[in-house]
Amino acid sequence: MNDLHPPQHQQRTRLRLLLGRQYYIQKRKWEWQFSGTKFAVPKGSNRLPITVFSHQSFLLRQLKDVDMWLQHNKVTNLQLAIHCINSVIIHPGEVFSFWYLVGNPTKRRGFKPGMTLNNGQVKSGYGGGLCQLANLLYWMALHSPLTVKERWRHSYDVFPDLNRSLPFGSGATVAYNYIDLQLENNTHHPFQLCLWLTDTDLCGELRSDTKCPYHYEILERNHQITGPIAGRYMRHNQIFRKKRHLLTNEVFPDEFITENHALMMYSPLLRSGDEASSSPSSAHS
C-alpha cells in the first residue's frame, strides 16, 4: 500500500495547482470587468508622429537541446499577439494590459506550441515565446514616462551574457492571465505601441504626439552570483534608471526600478566559446 502514496500525493498537487491557476485567472477577469480601470484598446488609429524609443530582438536562435520548430512556432504566436496589440494608443489615464488585449493563447485561436519554462524545465505550450514580446514592451516602457504598473521578473536566467545586449533582469515574464505586464499613462500625452516582424527580428516603436523632453538610461548595479547550493548558482542585481532633461541638461537622481534574483540555467564558469549553445536562450531575449 505504501507504494501507492507518491502517485496520490502527486495527483493532489496537480489538482491544487490547477484549481489555484483557475482561481487567479478568474480573479483577473473580475478585475478587468469591475476594477474601474480604463484599459487601452486598439481603435484603428494612425501612427502618432514622434518616435520616443525603438528596439528590436532576434526571432530565431539555435538553442542547445531545443527543437527549432518551437522557435518557428514562436514566430506564429508573436504574429497573432502583435495583431491584437499593434497601434494601440494608451491615452492619459489609461492602462495597457498585455493579456487584456492578447487574450487566451489557445489552439482554437491559431496559437501553436512554443518553448516555455516550467520550474526551470524547457517544455512546449500553446502561446510559448510570447515573453519575447513582453520583454520588448517592458524595455521600451523603461525609456519613456510611462509607469510600469505590473511586471513580473523571470525566475530563471536562461542564457549567458555572450551577445546579450540588455542588462540581466531587464525583461518581463507573462503567463495567461494573472502574470501580466501593465503600463499606465500618468502623463498628459498619448503613447502608442507599434509592433512588427521582419524576416529576422521582432521590432517595436513607442510613439507619441509630442517629443519626450527626457533621455533615459538603464543601469545595472550590485550584480553578484552566489552559490553553488546543491550544484546550482543564483544571479542577483538591481536595475536603476537615469533621467536627463534634454533642454536644460538637468540630471535627476537615479530611480530604483527593480531587484532581480534568478536561478541560473547554465554554468557561470563556462568559457566564452561554449556559451552560445549552452542553454535554451532567447525565447525570452
Side-chain angles (χ1 to χ4, degrees):
M1 293 294 292
N2 289 338
D3 292 339
L4 300 178
H5 288 173
Q8 290 176 349
H9 177 73
Q10 192 173 30
Q11 290 172 359
R12 288 197 301 270
T13 300
R14 288 200 192 101
L15 179 60
R16 290 193 197 101
L17 291 173
L18 178 62
L19 293 177
R21 183 171 181 271
Q22 287 302 314
Y23 167 79
Y24 286 109
I25 287 175
Q26 297 306 318
K27 182 174 182 288
R28 178 71 76 180
K29 289 181 177 179
W30 186 93
E31 291 172 356
W32 285 345
Q33 289 290 113
F34 303 109
S35 67
T37 301
K38 187 176 182 182
F39 290 101
V41 294
K43 297 177 182 177
S45 304
N46 295 324
R47 286 197 171 194
L48 296 179
I50 306 296
T51 300
V52 176
F53 188 76
S54 62
H55 187 66
Q56 62 189 50
S57 60
F58 290 120
L59 285 173
L60 301 175
R61 297 175 189 255
Q62 183 63 58
L63 312 178
K64 183 180 179 182
D65 300 328
V66 178
D67 292 329
M68 280 304 295
W69 65 267
L70 291 172
Q71 291 279 295
H72 290 288
N73 283 357
K74 177 190 71 174
V75 176
T76 298
N77 295 336
L78 289 172
Q79 289 173 328
L80 292 170
I82 285 173
H83 179 74
C84 300
I85 295 175
N86 185 37
S87 297
V88 64
I89 294 179
I90 313 170
H91 292 280
E94 290 186 339
V95 172
F96 164 85
S97 164
F98 185 92
W99 289 121
Y100 185 83
L101 295 184
V102 173
N104 197 350
T106 61
K107 178 181 179 181
R108 186 179 65 178
R109 296 182 60 213
F111 288 89
K112 294 184 177 181
M115 194 187 95
T116 63
L117 284 177
N118 187 352
N119 293 323
Q121 295 184 344
V122 175
K123 296 187 177 182
S124 66
Y126 284 98
L130 292 183
C131 282
Q132 183 171 352
L133 179 54
N135 288 345
L136 178 83
L137 295 170
Y138 178 64
W139 182 248
M140 292 197 300
L142 290 180
H143 291 82
S144 80
L146 291 173
T147 300
V148 179
K149 184 178 181 182
E150 179 178 342
R151 172 260 183 184
W152 297 77
R153 68 182 182 224
H154 292 282
S155 299
Y156 294 86
D157 186 31
V158 297
F159 63 100
D161 284 351
L162 186 68
N163 296 325
R164 190 201 293 259
S165 60
L166 308 185
F168 154 68
S170 56
T173 188
V174 289
Y176 185 80
N177 60 1
Y178 52 94
I179 298 179
D180 198 9
L181 174 66
Q182 294 191 5
L183 311 174
E184 188 169 14
N185 186 355
N186 293 317
T187 77
H188 299 294
H189 300 283
F191 287 86
Q192 184 180 37
L193 298 172
C194 296
L195 304 160
W196 67 95
L197 298 178
T198 68
D199 290 340
T200 57
D201 293 278
L202 166 65
C203 305
E205 289 182 341
L206 183 63
R207 305 181 70 90
S208 186
D209 63 352
T210 305
K211 186 175 180 179
C212 179
Y214 302 105
H215 171 77
Y216 299 92
E217 182 182 358
I218 308 305
L219 308 171
E220 179 188 47
R221 291 180 182 159
N222 302 319
H223 176 268
Q224 61 175 323
I225 294 175
T226 59
I229 299 176
R232 306 297 295 272
Y233 292 85
M234 289 286 295
R235 190 170 187 176
H236 318 266
N237 76 351
Q238 292 177 321
I239 301 294
F240 290 80
R241 183 168 69 169
K242 183 183 293 293
K243 183 170 74 170
R244 176 175 60 86
H245 199 286
L246 292 174
L247 294 179
T248 66
N249 221 26
E250 177 186 2
V251 177
F252 295 83
D254 291 352
E255 175 189 1
F256 172 76
I257 298 297
T258 189
E259 186 172 271
N260 296 290
H261 307 278
L263 187 65
M264 301 173 69
M265 293 179 63
Y266 57 91
S267 170
L269 306 177
L270 285 172
R271 296 171 300 171
S272 297
D274 296 332
E275 290 182 349
S277 61
S278 66
S279 66
S281 66
S282 166
H284 306 281
S285 71

